Amino acid sequence: MQMVLWIMTTGSDGGHRRATIRDVARRAGVTPSTVSRILNNRELAFPIAEHTRKRVIEAVKELGYRPNRLARSLAMSKTHVIGMYFPITEPSGQLEHREVTWLSFGAMVSGVQHITQMRGYEVHIFNRVEHDYGHPNAPKDICPDFIDGLIYVEPNQHYDFYTELVAAGVPLVTMGPSPVHPAGFSVSPDDCQDFYVLTKALIAKGHHRIACFICHPNDPPLETLLRRQGYRTALDEAEIPYDPALMPTERLGQTPTKALVERLFDLWPRPTAMIIGRPEVAHYFIECLHERGLVCPRDLELIVIGDDPIFPYLSPSLTALRYPYVRAGEEAARLVLDIVEGKVKDPVKVVIPWQYNERESCQLGESFIKYLVQDSTPELRKEVAIKIS
Amino acid sequence: MQMVLWIMTTGSDGGHRRATIRDVARRAGVTPSTVSRILNNRELAFPIAEHTRKRVIEAVKELGYRPNRLARSLAMSKTHVIGMYFPITEPSGQLEHREVTWLSFGAMVSGVQHITQMRGYEVHIFNRVEHDYGHPNAPKDICPDFIDGLIYVEPNQHYDFYTELVAAGVPLVTMGPSPVHPAGFSVSPDDCQDFYVLTKALIAKGHHRIACFICHPNDPPLETLLRRQGYRTALDEAEIPYDPALMPTERLGQTPTKALVERLFDLWPRPTAMIIGRPEVAHYFIECLHERGLVCPRDLELIVIGDDPIFPYLSPSLTALRYPYVRAGEEAARLVLDIVEGKVKDPVKVVIPWQYNERESCQLGESFIKYLVQDSTPELRKEVAIKIS
DNA sequence: CTGAAAGCGCTTACAG
DNA sequence: CTGAAAGCGCTTACAG
C-alpha cells in the first residue's frame, strides 16, 4: 500500500498507474490475448496479421508498457530467476577470515551473473540466518516461489538441507565444499583428492615431515575433513607414520594463531614442508621464517591453499593453489539453467581443479599441474565420504 | 512447463502438486478468505473464532501448506525483496582490480543481508550488463516488479540512471561513489572532503610535494574526480602550486603500473608523501622503496586508500584508510527499508567516514581521525559537484 | 486469424 | 464472526 502510494505521488507520469496489458489492448483495439501472443512470440497455428501486430507494437510504445513479471511468473510458473543460498554472514570469526569469504562470494556471484545474464535470468540471494545454537535456517525458509533453480553452498556438514530441498522440488546445484551427495548435481573441487596428490608430490620430493595447517574458529567444515583425509591417505600409502603434531586441530581464536604456527616451526625434527590451509594466515609463516633465519625453499617449502594478489610480492613469494571461483560460479549457473530448461536429466558432477601458481616458496614443477588435474581417483573420494558420514 | 514436470516427477510427495490455500480451506471446512485472514493476522473488526482458527492451523500443518509468495506479492503489490544493482562484472581490468571489487561487493551484500534478514526481506541482484560501446544496461532492464526498493551503485558518471529510476517509482538508495544527487537518498563516503582533509593533514606535517596516485584501466569514476578535486583544493588553500606530475592520469594497462609508480619516485625533488589510491597497487610502492633504499616514514610517508589484511605485516607496515563496506551496506539497507515502509519521507544522506588505521608508513596521529570525521564542509562538496557536472 | 473464458494463488472490501 | 465475489496482471487452451 505504502509503495503504491509512493509511486502515485512521485511517478514520472504524475500519478498515473502503470499501463497494463488491458490498456494496451484497449488502445490497439484488440483483446489482451492478442497482445500477449504478440509480445511472447508464441508459435501459433495461424500467424498474427501484420496490421494488428503493428497497432499493438505501437500501443506498447506509446504507453511505455512493460509486462508485469510477477503476474507473468505466476501464470507461467517460471520466474527467470536463479537463487543462491550462501553463508556470507559468518557471525563468528575475525575480520581477516570474513574478508576471504567475501572475496570468494563476490567472485562466485560474478561468475554466476556472467552466465545468467546471457541466458536471461537474474539472481536472488537468500538470507542465511544463523538461528539459536548456531543453526542456520531450514529449507522451509528458502522459499522457492521466486526462483526457478537454486545454487546451494553450505560448508557445514551439520546443516545439510540438500535432501529436503530436492524433496521440495527445487532444481538444485550444490557448490563448493558441500556434503557429498552421490545422487546430485554439484560443482566443486575434489578436496580429498587434491590434498592427496599434493602430499604425494611433496613426499616424492623427499619430504617426510609435512605439516598441514587447517584450523578454524568453529567446527571444521567438511572441506577440511576431506583435505585432512587426503593428506593422511598419502602418508599411509608412503608408509610414513602420521604425527598428530604436524596437523593441529585447535580452534582459531582460543590459542593465538601465531602461537599455533610457531609450534610447528619448533617441532623437532622440524617439518621440511608446510601446507597452509588458508591464505589469510600465510603471513604468520613468513614471520616465523624470518625470525628463525630460514630460507625457502632451501630449508622449508611452503604452499598456500588459496591465492592472494599480494603473494607474488612477499618475500619469499608464496606458491599457492588458486581456486577459480568465477569459473566455478559459471559452471554452477550453467548447470542449474540446463536443469531448469530440461537440457540435462542425469546428475552431473563438475570437478574444478585448483590452479597451481608456482613461486619461490615451494617448487613442485610443472608436472604437478597435470597430476592435480588428471590423477583423479573417484573411488578414493567415495571411500572417504563413507568414512566421514 | 519443464520445471513443473520436474517437480511432479521428483517431489517428495510422489507427484502431487503443492497445497494451495483452497486445499487448506477445504480441509478445514472454511473458505479461503478465512484461511488468508488467519495466516496474515490481520486486525479485524471481529476476531476469528478460536475453534476455526485451530482447525485451519491444523490443516495447514497437515498439508505442509506455505502460501505462494508470487501470488501474494501480486495481490499485495509488495514482494519483501530488495534489489541491488551493482557493477560486479567489470569486464576490462586485470584480476587484481576485480578482486578488490569482489571483496567490497561481498562485504556490502553481507551488510545488506544482515539488515534485510532481520526485517524479513530478501535480496535480488540485477545483472549489470555492459552493452556495446561499454554502456551498461538502461533502467528499463532493471525491472522493479520483483522488488520493493533498490540499492543502486553505479560508479561511472556517464551511466547515470538515477533520474529515470526515480521516475519509474522505485524507492531508491544510491550507494558508494555515485553521482551526486542533491535530491536523493544516499550512503557514501565524502571522497572530496576526505581527500581534502587528508591532504591538509599531510601539508600540516610539512609536506609540500605530495603525490596522489589514482589511475584506472578505463575512464576514472566520479569518485576519483572528487578525490582529485579534494586534493587540489587543499593545495590551493595552502597556496602550494599544483604539479601535474604528482598526480598521474594515465590509464592502467597502457603503461605498466610499475613504471608509473617509478616515475613518481624519480621526480626531483622527490615527493615526501604519497597517497596510494588503490590497495592492489601498494606493493609497487614498497618495491620502489626497497630498490631505492628509502625508509618510511623518515624519507617518505605512504598512505593507502583501502585497507588489506596483509598491510600490517608488510615492511613497512602500511597505514591505510579503510572503508567500512559492511556498515555501508547496513545503512543502505536500513534506509531503503525505511523508505519502503514509509518511515522516512525526506531525502537522507548518510556519509560514512573512512576508518584510519595508522601503521609505520605514515603517521598523522590520532587527531587526524577526528579531523576526518568531523571537519565536514558540505559546501565544498556541493561546489565540486557543480564544477564537475 | 482473434476473442471470451478460465486459471495461476493469493487478498480484501463488501455483505450478511 | 465468516462467506461470495472481484481483483492483482498476466497466459493459454478452446471456440469460432
Side-chain angles (χ1 to χ4, degrees):
Chain A
M1 249 355 337
Q2 295 288 12
M3 194 186 106
V4 172
L5 222 77
W6 203 89
I7 290 185
M8 306 262 290
T9 53
T10 63
S12 63
D13 39 4
H16 291 338
R17 56 173 186 67
R18 184 165 146 196
T20 78
I21 197 170
R22 293 190 54 187
D23 300 321
V24 175
R26 199 151 25 216
R27 183 163 193 119
V30 296
T31 219
S33 330
T34 307
V35 176
S36 171
R37 279 191 280 255
I38 291 176
L39 259 38
N40 292 311
N41 263 334
R42 288 273 170 287
E43 37 191 271
L44 303 166
F46 296 82
I48 303 275
E50 252 325 300
H51 58 282
T52 64
R53 175 188 303 274
K54 254 182 201 147
R55 281 216 312 279
V56 167
I57 298 288
E58 209 169 315
V60 164
K61 280 201 182 131
E62 286 169 2
L63 297 175
Y65 169 72
R66 302 210 316 111
N68 183 316
R69 271 183 71 184
L70 231 35
R72 177 183 255 247
S73 298
L74 181 60
M76 302 188 22
S77 322
K78 166 95 185 164
T79 62
H80 280 273
V81 177
I82 291 301
M84 284 187 81
Y85 175 88
F86 190 95
I88 189 154
T89 324
E90 231 176 62
S92 58
Q94 296 109 300
L95 186 62
E96 51 185 20
H97 301 305
R98 282 187 286 149
E99 294 218 327
V100 173
T101 309
W102 295 331
L103 181 60
S104 61
F105 170 70
M108 278 183 193
V109 173
S110 179
V112 169
Q113 289 255 79
H114 181 214
I115 301 302
T116 53
Q117 174 243 97
M118 300 186 70
R119 291 175 64 168
Y121 288 74
E122 280 160 9
V123 176
H124 182 104
I125 299 190
F126 288 101
N127 300 310
R128 184 183 185 269
V129 188
E130 296 269 353
H131 287 305
D132 306 340
Y133 308 108
H135 285 263
N137 47 342
K140 69 176 174 50
D141 300 322
I142 304 175
C143 169
D145 297 333
F146 276 144
I147 59 169
D148 291 340
L150 182 67
I151 296 174
Y152 174 79
V153 188
E154 176 53 79
N156 193 314
Q157 49 168 338
H158 299 317
Y159 313 143
D160 179 16
F161 303 134
Y162 178 88
T163 341
E164 292 174 65
L165 281 168
V166 166
V170 191
L172 194 65
V173 170
T174 267
M175 196 177 173
S178 286
V180 179
H181 292 283
F185 294 82
S186 69
V187 174
S188 67
D190 189 336
D191 283 293
C192 178
Q193 177 64 16
D194 292 337
F195 266 63
Y196 167 75
V197 169
L198 171 59
T199 311
K200 239 173 104 170
L202 290 168
I203 294 170
K205 274 201 78 177
H207 295 289
H208 280 70
R209 303 271 295 160
I210 305 169
C212 179
F213 186 87
I214 330 177
C215 297
H216 300 271
N218 307 322
D219 278 349
L222 180 64
E223 169 193 63
T224 295
L225 303 184
L226 288 168
R227 291 171 171 195
R228 289 184 179 150
Q229 197 69 42
Y231 165 80
R232 292 198 54 174
T233 307
L235 292 185
D236 289 350
E237 268 190 20
E239 295 181 358
I240 299 176
Y242 164 64
D243 177 358
L246 290 170
M247 187 163 74
T249 54
E250 276 93 344
R251 300 206 166 189
L252 294 185
Q254 300 200 344
T255 319
T257 308
K258 179 72 187 288
L260 292 177
V261 174
E262 278 173 334
R263 216 182 284 165
L264 288 180
F265 276 82
D266 297 335
L267 287 176
W268 196 254
R270 190 194 304 120
T272 58
M274 297 186 182
I275 302 171
I276 306 173
R278 295 190 147 206
E280 66 269 34
V281 299
H283 61 85
Y284 293 119
F285 287 78
I286 294 196
E287 279 176 25
C288 284
L289 217 54
H290 293 330
E291 285 162 9
R292 286 160 186 74
L294 299 172
V295 172
C296 277
R298 195 193 60 191
D299 308 315
L300 186 59
E301 293 203 285
L302 241 42
I303 181 164
V304 192
I305 313 304
D307 205 357
D308 189 296
I310 198 77
F311 284 173
Y313 305 101
L314 301 181
S315 72
S317 61
L318 292 177
T319 299
L321 293 181
R322 173 174 191 275
Y323 189 65
Y325 284 105
V326 177
R327 225 204 99 202
E330 291 177 343
E331 294 294 346
R334 258 185 219 117
L335 206 45
V336 79
L337 290 183
D338 282 350
I339 303 172
V340 164
E341 294 173 354
K343 293 183 189 161
V344 117
K345 296 278 176 192
D346 298 322
V348 177
K349 297 205 166 303
V350 179
V351 173
I352 304 218
W354 291 74
Q355 221 176 278
Y356 175 62
N357 292 337
E358 183 165 288
R359 307 195 184 99
E360 287 168 5
S361 74
C362 176
Q363 279 148 27
L364 297 171
E366 293 301 309
S367 63
F368 172 62
I369 300 174
K370 287 186 203 152
Y371 220 30
L372 200 58
V373 180
Q374 297 172 348
D375 184 4
S376 228
T377 332
E379 293 70 31
L380 180 67
R381 183 172 194 174
K382 266 187 213 142
E383 193 187 307
V384 170
I386 292 163
K387 272 189 209 160
I388 283 176
S389 61
Chain B
M1 249 356 335
Q2 296 288 11
M3 194 188 106
V4 173
L5 222 77
W6 203 87
I7 292 187
M8 306 263 288
T9 53
T10 61
S12 64
D13 39 4
H16 293 339
R17 57 175 186 67
R18 185 165 147 195
T20 78
I21 199 171
R22 294 190 53 189
D23 299 322
V24 175
R26 200 153 22 216
R27 182 160 194 125
V30 294
T31 218
S33 329
T34 308
V35 176
S36 172
R37 281 190 278 254
I38 291 175
L39 260 38
N40 292 313
N41 263 332
R42 288 273 168 287
E43 37 193 88
L44 303 165
F46 296 83
I48 302 275
E50 251 325 298
H51 58 282
T52 64
R53 177 189 302 277
K54 252 182 204 151
R55 279 218 312 280
V56 167
I57 299 287
E58 207 169 317
V60 164
K61 280 202 183 130
E62 287 169 359
L63 297 175
Y65 170 72
R66 303 208 315 112
N68 182 317
R69 273 183 70 184
L70 232 34
R72 174 183 257 247
S73 298
L74 181 61
M76 302 185 26
S77 323
K78 167 94 184 163
T79 62
H80 279 273
V81 177
I82 291 301
M84 286 186 81
Y85 175 88
F86 190 95
I88 188 155
T89 323
E90 231 177 63
S92 58
Q94 295 110 299
L95 186 62
E96 51 185 19
H97 301 306
R98 282 187 286 149
E99 295 217 327
V100 174
T101 308
W102 295 332
L103 181 61
S104 61
F105 170 70
M108 278 182 191
V109 174
S110 180
V112 169
Q113 290 254 78
H114 181 212
I115 300 303
T116 53
Q117 173 243 99
M118 300 186 69
R119 292 174 64 166
Y121 287 74
E122 281 161 6
V123 175
H124 182 104
I125 300 189
F126 288 100
N127 299 310
R128 184 182 185 272
V129 187
E130 296 270 353
H131 288 304
D132 307 340
Y133 308 108
H135 286 264
N137 45 342
K140 68 175 175 51
D141 300 323
I142 302 176
C143 168
D145 298 332
F146 276 143
I147 59 168
D148 292 339
L150 181 67
I151 296 174
Y152 175 79
V153 187
E154 176 56 78
N156 193 317
Q157 50 168 338
H158 300 316
Y159 314 142
D160 179 14
F161 303 132
Y162 178 87
T163 340
E164 293 174 66
L165 281 169
V166 166
V170 191
L172 195 64
V173 171
T174 266
M175 194 176 175
S178 286
V180 179
H181 293 282
F185 295 83
S186 69
V187 174
S188 66
D190 189 338
D191 283 295
C192 178
Q193 177 63 16
D194 292 336
F195 266 62
Y196 167 75
V197 169
L198 172 59
T199 311
K200 238 171 103 169
L202 289 168
I203 293 170
K205 274 200 78 177
H207 294 288
H208 281 70
R209 302 271 295 158
I210 304 169
C212 180
F213 185 88
I214 330 177
C215 296
H216 300 270
N218 308 321
D219 276 351
L222 179 65
E223 167 194 65
T224 294
L225 302 183
L226 288 167
R227 291 172 171 194
R228 289 184 179 151
Q229 196 69 41
Y231 164 81
R232 292 197 54 173
T233 307
L235 292 186
D236 288 351
E237 269 189 21
E239 296 182 355
I240 299 177
Y242 164 63
D243 177 357
L246 289 170
M247 188 164 70
T249 53
E250 276 94 343
R251 301 206 165 190
L252 293 185
Q254 299 197 347
T255 321
T257 308
K258 179 71 186 289
L260 292 175
V261 175
E262 277 174 334
R263 218 183 282 166
L264 289 179
F265 276 82
D266 296 338
L267 287 175
W268 196 254
R270 190 194 303 121
T272 59
M274 296 186 181
I275 302 171
I276 306 173
R278 296 191 145 204
E280 66 269 35
V281 300
H283 61 86
Y284 293 119
F285 287 78
I286 294 197
E287 278 177 25
C288 286
L289 218 54
H290 292 329
E291 286 162 8
R292 285 159 186 73
L294 300 171
V295 173
C296 275
R298 195 193 60 192
D299 309 315
L300 186 60
E301 291 203 285
L302 241 41
I303 182 166
V304 192
I305 313 305
D307 205 356
D308 188 297
I310 198 77
F311 284 173
Y313 305 102
L314 299 180
S315 71
S317 61
L318 292 176
T319 298
L321 293 181
R322 173 174 190 275
Y323 189 66
Y325 284 105
V326 176
R327 225 204 99 201
E330 290 176 345
E331 294 295 347
R334 258 186 218 113
L335 206 45
V336 79
L337 290 182
D338 282 350
I339 304 172
V340 165
E341 294 173 354
K343 293 183 189 161
V344 118
K345 296 278 176 195
D346 297 321
V348 177
K349 296 205 169 301
V350 179
V351 173
I352 304 218
W354 292 74
Q355 222 177 278
Y356 175 62
N357 292 337
E358 183 165 286
R359 306 198 184 98
E360 287 168 5
S361 73
C362 175
Q363 279 149 28
L364 298 170
E366 292 301 309
S367 63
F368 172 63
I369 299 176
K370 288 185 203 152
Y371 220 30
L372 201 57
V373 180
Q374 297 171 348
D375 184 3
S376 228
T377 330
E379 293 72 31
L380 179 67
R381 184 174 192 171
K382 266 187 213 139
E383 193 188 307
V384 170
I386 292 162
K387 274 189 206 157
I388 283 176
S389 62

